[in-house]
């Protein structure tokens, strides 16, 4: 396994180093297909992109989305990404899931669009504490494409924490790109921040390659860059 690790000692540095890795990945490509994650981890990266002021041109491909939320729901991942990065960067072409659409049709629509627009050029990803990538929860086959998934209990809890005010009801299903789609990415940038991710990062990169740890598919991935803070890398250095 060959990958590049970029270490950051604080959030500001993390954001700047993630931005540098991203710009290096898109350099010279014309309208690459780019996957971007939501979550806490990429916040400094998106801050750095906004602060930079330049407007890189790419096609945004949505990684995952809750199923069954109304178009105006602020919890939609598409809305989150729009606020944090796509609107500020003026990204016009967005291949997003329609959360409110008939689910099976929506899966087919996204599969068709991926087939037409070509594979992902750059997948920027986070990793869940249970090793999930996108919403490919433990047990996900490495060979699945776009599909509907049941969210793991710990993922629902982690996602509720993004929206403490939203009460007890929270989507239990989601759309996700599959690991087969992500494996096809020409370049992958994994963002990892915080001590809470140290053990799962170690398992994903140094443990057994198994669907029980979806992120372990990365061990076979070519063109992998890991941007992580010192805390997230702590278990790799034991
Ligand atoms: C979000 C996504 C998830 C997150 C992961 C880490 O679009 O695909 O896989 O990347 O759950 O989330 P944070 O960064 O909040 O720890």
């Amino acid at each position: 396994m060959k990958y590049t690790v970029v270490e950051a000692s604080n959030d500001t540095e993390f954001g700047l180093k993630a931005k540098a890795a991203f710009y290096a990945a898109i350099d010279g490509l014309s309208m690459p297909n780019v996957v971007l994650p939501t979550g806490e981890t990429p916040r400094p990266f998106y801050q750095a992109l906004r602060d930079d002021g330049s407007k890189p041109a790419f096609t945004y491909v949505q990684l995952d989305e809750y199923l069954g939320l109304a178009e105006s729901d602020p919890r939609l991942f598409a809305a989150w990404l729009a606020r944090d990065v796509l609107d500020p960067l003026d990204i016009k072409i967005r291949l997003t899931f329609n959360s409110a659409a008939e689910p099976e049709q929506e899966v087919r629509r996204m599969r068709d669009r991926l087939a037409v627009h070509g594979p992902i050029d750059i997948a920027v990803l986070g990793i869940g504490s249970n090793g999930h990538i996108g919403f490919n929860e433990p047990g996900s086959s490495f060979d699945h494409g776009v599909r509907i998934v049941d969210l793991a209990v710990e993922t629902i809890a982690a996602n509720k924490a993004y929206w403490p005010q939203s009460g007890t009801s929270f989507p239990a299903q989601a759309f996700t790109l599959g690991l087969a789609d992500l494996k096809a990415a020409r370049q992958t940038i994994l963002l990892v921040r915080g001590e809470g991710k140290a053990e799962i990062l170690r398992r994903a990169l140094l443990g057994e390659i198994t669907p029980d740890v979806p992120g372990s598919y990365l061990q076979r991935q070519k063109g992998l860059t890991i941007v992580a803070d010192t805390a997230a890398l702590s278990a790799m250095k034991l």
Side-chain angles (χ1 to χ4, degrees):
M1 177 186 26
K2 249 183 130 179
Y3 54 83
T4 306
V5 177
V6 178
E7 181 169 350
S9 55
N10 58 52
D11 287 351
T12 307
E13 201 180 305
F14 179 92
L16 293 172
K17 289 189 166 174
K19 183 187 75 168
F22 180 66
Y23 277 134
I26 62 171
D27 189 39
L29 302 179
S30 159
M31 284 305 277
N33 294 321
V34 171
V35 165
L36 296 171
T38 46
E40 289 302 323
T41 308
R43 287 191 191 279
F45 168 47
Y46 296 149
Q47 175 81 52
L49 285 178
R50 291 195 301 271
D51 291 350
D52 188 81
S54 55
K55 306 255 194 273
F58 58 83
T59 297
Y60 164 66
V61 183
Q62 191 167 18
L63 174 59
D64 45 13
E65 182 59 277
Y66 301 122
L67 199 142
L69 294 183
E71 215 175 307
S72 56
D73 196 307
R75 294 173 298 176
L76 286 172
F77 279 177
W80 180 341
L81 259 289
R83 286 188 299 269
D84 267 21
V85 67
L86 302 175
D87 290 350
L89 265 59
D90 240 347
I91 299 303
K92 299 228 163 28
I93 306 182
R94 305 177 189 185
L95 308 185
T96 54
F97 292 102
N98 178 352
S99 176
E102 196 288 309
E104 293 297 343
Q105 266 182 29
E106 190 57 14
V107 166
R108 281 195 294 277
R109 195 172 73 98
M110 188 55 125
R111 283 186 179 169
D112 289 349
R113 289 195 296 175
L114 272 182
V116 169
H117 283 262
I120 294 155
D121 292 295
I122 297 137
V124 185
L125 304 170
I127 186 166
S129 306
N130 66 358
H132 75 200
I133 296 281
F135 276 145
N136 294 284
E137 299 285 18
S140 296
S141 159
F142 291 170
D143 298 322
H144 279 150
V146 178
R147 70 196 196 290
I148 297 161
V149 290
D150 295 328
L151 297 178
V153 175
E154 60 271 22
T155 300
I156 297 173
N159 283 222
K160 268 188 183 170
Y162 298 145
W163 297 95
Q165 69 280 31
S166 84
T168 49
S169 102
F170 209 84
Q173 284 192 307
F175 298 105
T176 189
L177 299 187
L179 295 175
D181 305 307
L182 298 173
K183 276 191 326 191
R186 295 188 168 99
Q187 300 183 72
T188 303
I189 300 173
L190 180 70
L191 305 178
V192 201
R193 213 156 54 86
E195 204 184 338
K197 296 288 175 65
E199 179 54 18
I200 196 64
L201 182 63
R202 186 193 65 73
R203 284 181 66 200
L205 295 180
L206 302 178
E208 187 191 348
I209 300 176
T210 163
D212 293 342
V213 182
S216 63
Y217 88 92
L218 292 165
Q219 293 187 36
R220 298 197 179 120
Q221 199 64 7
K222 296 208 173 68
L224 173 62
T225 301
I226 293 150
V227 181
D229 65 8
T230 306
L233 288 170
S234 55
M236 303 272 293
K237 293 176 178 163
L238 295 177

